[in-house]
Amino acid sequence: MSTIDEILWLLKDGNWHDLEEIAEKAEIPKVKAEMVLSFLNEYDFIQTKDLSKVKIKPSILEFFNEIQRIEKEDALRH
């Protein structure tokens, strides 16, 4: 799993998370977590409070949930 995927997976609960928690759970250096969060912020995937607290945007979360729902339906058909 890529670092971006891993961080998005961590944010999938829709709650606010701080930078240290994300770096720790993703098992990456804090500076790398900052870079990924900066990228996700630039492309409107997350909401931030000065990058010290972040959460996934509701529209992105809805999109991910819909993708998962479709994947589950597909798996049941096959």
Side-chain angles (χ1 to χ4, degrees):
M1 181 179 294
S2 78
T3 302
I4 292 174
D5 290 336
E6 195 165 342
I7 289 176
L8 286 170
W9 186 257
L10 291 170
L11 298 176
K12 199 176 122 193
D13 64 6
N15 296 322
W16 289 100
H17 298 270
D18 65 38
L19 177 62
E20 290 187 19
E21 172 195 358
I22 291 167
E24 182 180 308
K25 287 185 177 179
E27 298 179 349
I28 57 173
K30 192 173 165 181
V31 68
K32 188 171 184 179
E34 286 175 327
M35 289 174 56
V36 171
L37 293 174
S38 181
F39 171 83
L40 293 173
N41 186 47
E42 183 176 337
Y43 289 95
D44 269 351
F45 278 74
I46 59 173
Q47 294 174 273
T48 68
K49 293 182 182 178
D50 302 323
L51 286 183
S52 61
K53 290 270 191 188
V54 300
K55 75 176 190 174
I56 196 165
K57 283 197 168 186
S59 59
I60 301 298
L61 182 57
E62 186 178 315
F63 172 74
F64 287 150
N65 288 337
E66 182 65 14
I67 295 274
Q68 282 188 317
R69 185 190 65 76
I70 290 168
E71 288 174 342
K72 284 179 185 176
E73 285 178 3
D74 246 11
L76 291 174
R77 283 189 220 143
H78 292 81

